[in-house]
Amino acid sequence: MLTEINFDGLVGPSHNYAGLSLGNLASAKNANQPSYPRAAALQGLAKMRHNVRLGLPQGLLLPHPRPDSDWLGELGATMDSPAPLPAWAMSASAMWTANAATVSPAPDTADGKCHLTVANLVTMPHRSHESPHTLKQLRLAFANPAFAVHGPVPAPFGDEGAANHMRLAPSHGEPGVEIFVYGRTGGPFPARQHRVACEAVAAHHCLDLSRTLFVEQAEEAIAAGAFHNDVVAVADGLTLFAHEQAFANRPGFYADLERLLPEVKIVEVPAARVSLTDAIASYLFNAQLVTLPSGEQALILPSEAQAVPSVAAYLDDLTAGNGPIRKALFVDVRQSMANGGGPACLRLRVVADPATVDPRFMLDEDELDRLEAVVAAHWPESINPARLSDPGLHAQIRAARAALLEALDLANENL
């Protein structure tokens, strides 16, 4: 039976604040501050446990090997090379699995397979070397013939994965409308998603183009710090939850969506209620919008959302009303938030039959207990950016990842 599985990225032992992500305001704000990888990973696991207890299927994707010495070698560099090369090679940004791939469920594809295309992430150097490691994991986790896993779209056409993709459908097992969001300009910041990349992914996934929309993100949203669409919009089921200033041609997009899916419910947050600045600071839209087993829809939000008065007041009104979103649930992912990633950044949604997924990538309470023990025993407590070239730290990070692979019975899989 098809259901939505959230595959969260486990925060890696090299989690650090080097401020590498241009356009990500939280990342820039906290650059060169000490990070706390152990606390960050435990927060992420607590979010996964929270969702398991809500009755939501939960999967896991792994941190990548760090430092990425092979990538440095291709550049003729080492961890002793001048900055920022060591920081690029130590990035733990693969934890944000919303950027791992774009996913099209089987009901939308001509061949009846669930298609995944690994994101190339070419816009940012620290993320540009993630795709080979992500591809290995996805080809293992989704080796069943029910899936088709594609390599990345070639450069220079930037593709940032599911963070710029949404799907709306009456149910998981019915055909839906797939929405690819791209950018053109962003004032002082780069637009990371190229329309050509969107079109390439749609072609690889054998999508029906009459039920596929290519939508431009608003320039003012990118300029305000919405470096991905999921910072200003999120969709689930028949509900689109978006900021008024999320899209360049809002009326045209909404008209197309309502034509293709007349039963869609568009919940738009007026700029007069919540400004772009407040929406981005709180990560109101970088929430997981989920359908609970009861049939109710809920937003799983970062605890920071409660601290922004306009957002807190809006959420009170939203959940008290008669709209589709009836609950606001808060989780602590502060270490991730400080580096610019909220609850939605940490997960990749895959609509599939859980029985077709390699069970080593699926989680329950017992598996979460085991992972928490590994993290508590092996992850560094803190990392100061000045230590990024420290061989002792590198050895600890490699040992931590090796212990994780051993605990998951993945040590022999060349990951």
Side-chain angles (χ1 to χ4, degrees):
M1 179 179 175
L2 296 184
T3 189
E4 182 177 272
I5 310 167
N6 288 290
F7 287 84
D8 277 42
L10 179 62
V11 180
S14 69
H15 168 64
N16 69 90
Y17 298 148
L20 301 175
S21 190
L22 181 63
N24 184 326
L25 302 184
S27 173
K29 178 182 177 182
N30 292 292
N32 299 315
Q33 297 298 310
S35 64
Y36 300 90
R38 188 183 306 165
L42 291 174
Q43 286 171 4
L45 288 167
K47 179 178 89 78
M48 297 181 219
R49 191 184 296 275
H50 171 269
N51 288 0
V52 167
R53 290 179 175 175
L54 290 174
L56 302 173
Q58 182 67 54
L60 176 77
L61 292 178
L62 312 177
H64 291 184
R66 292 292 180 264
D68 192 341
S69 301
D70 291 341
W71 178 71
L72 282 175
E74 292 174 2
L75 294 171
T78 69
M79 287 301 290
D80 294 321
S81 295
L85 278 163
W88 289 345
M90 283 283 277
S91 168
S93 295
M95 63 197 251
W96 294 310
T97 57
N99 304 119
T102 303
V103 184
S104 294
D108 295 353
T109 68
D111 61 1
K113 293 177 180 284
C114 175
H115 286 252
L116 301 92
T117 293
V118 173
N120 62 33
L121 300 171
V122 296
T123 306
M124 296 291 161
H126 69 290
R127 305 210 66 179
S128 65
H129 53 109
E130 290 180 16
S131 60
H133 303 290
T134 302
L135 186 60
K136 285 181 183 179
Q137 287 194 48
L138 296 188
R139 285 190 167 158
L140 181 61
F142 304 110
N144 188 285
F147 301 96
V149 180
H150 306 275
V153 174
F157 306 109
D159 176 30
E160 300 274 320
N164 289 309
H165 174 264
M166 299 181 289
R167 179 181 187 256
L168 291 158
S171 71
H172 297 312
E174 296 179 71
V177 175
E178 299 210 11
I179 303 158
F180 293 82
V181 183
Y182 63 93
R184 293 186 188 273
T185 60
F189 304 133
R192 302 188 188 187
Q193 185 74 28
H194 200 289
R195 177 164 178 147
V196 169
C198 297
E199 293 169 344
V201 172
H204 290 321
H205 291 193
C206 309
L207 296 182
D208 179 354
L209 293 184
S210 70
R211 296 185 63 80
T212 304
L213 298 177
F214 301 98
V215 180
E216 184 180 349
Q217 188 175 2
E219 179 179 349
E220 61 262 41
I222 299 172
F227 50 98
H228 293 131
N229 173 68
D230 67 3
V231 180
V232 284
V234 62
D236 172 70
L238 290 169
T239 302
L240 171 66
F241 181 54
H243 193 272
E244 181 184 5
Q245 295 171 285
F247 307 107
N249 179 10
R250 171 173 136 264
F253 168 41
Y254 290 173
D256 287 341
L257 186 54
E258 290 169 339
R259 172 178 53 81
L260 293 172
L261 202 62
E263 61 270 51
V264 69
K265 301 174 180 68
I266 298 173
V267 181
E268 184 180 81
V269 180
R273 286 291 312 267
V274 178
S275 68
L276 267 177
T277 298
D278 284 356
I280 291 167
S282 66
Y283 272 34
L284 167 62
F285 297 95
N286 198 250
Q288 291 181 243
L289 179 58
V290 299
T291 299
L292 302 175
S294 64
E296 289 183 306
Q297 283 187 313
L299 283 168
I300 300 170
L301 297 134
S303 53
E304 284 83 348
Q306 295 172 293
V308 179
S310 66
V311 172
Y314 176 81
L315 287 170
D316 286 344
D317 291 344
L318 176 71
T319 54
N322 294 319
I325 302 172
R326 308 309 296 268
K327 291 185 177 180
L329 307 173
F330 299 92
V331 292
D332 178 5
V333 288
R334 292 177 185 175
Q335 280 288 308
S336 177
M337 286 285 288
N339 219 1
C345 285
L346 286 162
R347 65 91 177 94
L348 178 70
R349 295 194 281 191
V350 180
V351 172
D353 181 346
T356 62
V357 179
D358 187 316
R360 293 174 292 182
F361 292 86
M362 296 295 297
L363 295 180
D364 58 20
E365 294 261 11
D366 290 342
E367 198 72 10
L368 285 162
D369 288 343
R370 188 187 313 179
L371 293 175
E372 286 180 347
V374 171
V375 168
H378 297 282
W379 259 234
E381 181 177 359
S382 65
I383 294 178
N384 188 305
R387 287 192 66 210
L388 290 181
S389 295
D390 178 1
L393 175 63
H394 304 161
Q396 183 181 8
I397 288 168
R398 292 188 180 107
R401 188 173 186 273
L404 173 68
L405 294 177
E406 188 69 32
L408 293 171
D409 194 25
L410 290 167
N412 296 320
E413 295 292 355
N414 190 31
L415 296 174

